[in-house]
Amino acid sequence: MGGAHSKRSTTLKSHADPNTGFAWLRLVGATIVVIDHSAPLVHPERLTVFPESWRMSPGYLALMAFFAMSGYQISDSWERDPSWWRFSARRLLRILPPLLVVVLCTVFVIGPLCTMLTVPGYFSHPQTWDYLVGTSSLFFLQHALPGVFAGNPYPWSVNGSLWTLPMEFVGYVVVLLVGVLVAAGSSRLILFVLLAGLVLLDSHSRATFGYHGDAGSLFEIPVGSLVAFLVPFVLGMVMHTFRRNIPLRPWLACTLLGVWLAAHWTPLDRYLLAVMASYGAIVLAHHWPRRWEVDGRLVYGSYGMYIWAFPVQQLIILAGVDNQWWLMAMAVPAAYLCGVVSWCLVEEPTQRLRRHLKGRSVFDQPTVRFTPVAAPRAERRSFRPTAG
């Protein structure tokens, strides 16, 4: 018994806090998205940096992992404080301030400097204000500003990365609704019913990295892609809710990766991709090496990096760079720097406002606190920038 306990303690000490693992993985994912966008921004006939015959996008895989990690971490946020209004306030404080900053900078700085119109013509154009209001409201995203980047190879969007944010927010609403239903007496098994329904819808809409599916749109959100991303999101919710019953085994994650690659050109691809990306990301976060723990300011900027990268890439192209490899080499560090600045000047200060969220909700219930597989220190950390 003593030997087994000693072995487990050694294993725990070798792993970082899972939130550190999640932060690193989000940063890696944001970098992959920047790299993947570099090809179509220079060669718009392409969808991804990989050859078309591969029928695979590293950016799409990264997004699947993003949504799974969000499902896991946001479920933890709800469980630690199941108050509908505090949960909602935390989510708004997390997603909106950085978005508003990038939208304002895009409209009032990048736009006037990069438009082919005159400055008065730019500001008098209704599309400018449609972009400001619609994109700031999240669910009415606009992609073009009048005359901005019109001479670039990809003139259709000034910030194409923002298209996933409304879907992320829908995931937050799903966590809230499920949490309220469970607090009101419903079984946690409702998650499996929800997951089954999403998989069925995904089978019909068949959205992929190059196709939004045939389910139409809700506001400006492509329903097919929304369903496709909600599948890993709910898988993340399931893995958190039933974490005491689901083993997190690296060997199993590697096996799933191999099975997905082997079945990639079969109809099973879409289902295995979601399972592999979800399970693999969450397992890796819980087994992140402790020696890779660094100052949080260096790794917590993934959200800022993600939402700033696309306009940064467009600006680099506007400056004369027309080679995708040079674009990658220049855009990754520039976008990373934007992410660090966003974290330090926008995200961390606004997230600290959450300490003012006090009081109890009628939905508050005693809960089992999050006990990470890899690092018990997570319960002693009062500030969780990636989830709570």
Side-chain angles (χ1 to χ4, degrees):
M1 179 68 71
H5 178 74
S6 176
K7 182 177 180 181
R8 176 171 174 78
S9 298
T10 302
T11 301
L12 290 175
K13 289 180 181 179
S14 68
H15 296 148
D17 182 322
N19 287 313
T20 298
F22 282 123
W24 267 106
L25 289 174
R26 289 179 178 277
L27 188 64
V28 171
T31 302
I32 291 173
V33 170
V34 176
I35 290 172
D36 203 32
H37 281 169
S38 296
L41 281 172
V42 175
H43 305 289
E45 70 279 3
R46 299 183 59 178
L47 296 175
T48 173
V49 69
F50 282 169
E52 183 179 356
S53 60
W54 290 17
R55 292 170 52 190
M56 186 186 302
S57 164
Y60 192 72
L61 192 156
L63 287 174
M64 286 280 176
F66 270 137
F67 276 86
M69 291 187 288
S70 288
Y72 191 97
Q73 292 186 285
I74 302 306
S75 294
D76 180 55
S77 177
W78 169 265
E79 186 178 86
R80 286 185 288 111
D81 182 16
S83 161
W84 70 268
W85 71 269
R86 289 196 297 272
F87 175 87
S88 302
R90 283 194 295 268
R91 302 281 60 81
L92 291 173
L93 282 173
R94 182 67 185 107
I95 200 170
L96 284 185
L99 173 66
L100 293 176
V101 170
V102 74
V103 169
L104 290 172
C105 288
T106 302
V107 171
F108 293 108
V109 179
I110 295 176
L113 292 175
C114 301
T115 183
M116 290 185 171
L117 306 181
T118 63
V119 173
Y122 169 80
F123 281 114
S124 64
H125 200 293
Q127 192 177 40
T128 302
W129 307 106
D130 287 344
Y131 184 94
L132 176 64
V133 175
T135 305
S136 298
S137 67
L138 202 64
F139 284 91
F140 297 93
L141 288 178
Q142 304 295 306
H143 290 283
L145 281 168
V148 179
F149 304 132
N152 281 13
Y154 197 96
W156 306 284
S157 180
V158 296
N159 197 341
S161 296
L162 300 183
W163 77 286
T164 61
L165 298 189
M167 293 181 266
E168 174 86 1
F169 195 84
V170 171
Y172 300 164
V173 175
V174 170
V175 172
L176 174 60
L177 293 177
V178 171
V180 169
L181 288 173
V182 171
S186 297
S187 170
R188 296 183 302 169
L189 295 177
I190 192 175
L191 279 172
F192 290 102
V193 177
L194 175 60
L195 180 60
L198 288 170
V199 170
L200 182 62
L201 289 174
D202 186 43
S203 300
H204 286 285
S205 62
R206 307 196 62 80
T208 67
F209 67 88
Y211 174 56
H212 288 313
D214 54 7
S217 61
L218 176 66
F219 302 116
E220 297 296 327
I221 308 173
V223 174
S225 294
L226 170 64
V227 171
F229 287 133
L230 282 180
V231 170
F233 190 96
V234 175
L235 279 170
M237 293 174 64
V238 168
M239 290 189 66
H240 179 270
T241 301
F242 298 96
R243 61 193 178 279
R244 304 189 191 286
N245 308 107
I246 300 176
L248 301 180
R249 302 285 186 261
W251 67 265
L252 182 54
C254 292
T255 301
L256 285 172
L257 174 60
V259 171
W260 170 64
L261 290 172
H264 174 59
W265 283 272
T266 74
L268 293 175
D269 171 68
R270 66 187 310 101
Y271 311 107
L272 290 172
L273 172 60
V275 173
M276 179 275 298
S278 302
Y279 185 82
I282 292 168
V283 168
L284 187 53
H286 282 82
H287 291 80
W288 199 257
R290 185 171 186 147
R291 63 180 179 275
W292 289 356
E293 287 185 323
V294 295
D295 186 329
R297 290 171 295 183
L298 298 178
V299 294
Y300 289 146
S302 59
Y303 178 39
M305 181 179 182
Y306 180 81
I307 63 177
W308 275 100
F310 205 94
V312 165
Q313 289 173 290
Q314 290 281 44
L315 286 169
I316 293 173
I317 294 170
L318 184 66
V321 175
D322 59 0
N323 180 282
Q324 67 178 21
W325 307 109
W326 279 109
L327 179 59
M328 293 177 199
M330 299 172 69
V332 168
Y336 171 75
L337 180 60
C338 289
V340 172
V341 172
S342 176
W343 170 254
C344 294
L345 299 185
V346 181
E347 297 167 60
E348 185 176 24
T350 53
Q351 286 205 82
R352 291 197 182 281
L353 295 175
R354 295 179 303 173
R355 66 179 181 269
H356 300 296
L357 300 175
K358 299 177 181 178
R360 292 188 61 81
S361 164
V362 295
F363 292 111
D364 286 353
Q365 299 287 340
T367 59
V368 178
R369 291 173 64 83
F370 173 38
T371 305
V373 173
R377 293 184 302 109
E379 279 308 305
R380 300 197 296 269
R381 178 171 292 190
S382 59
F383 178 49
R384 296 189 175 201
T386 58

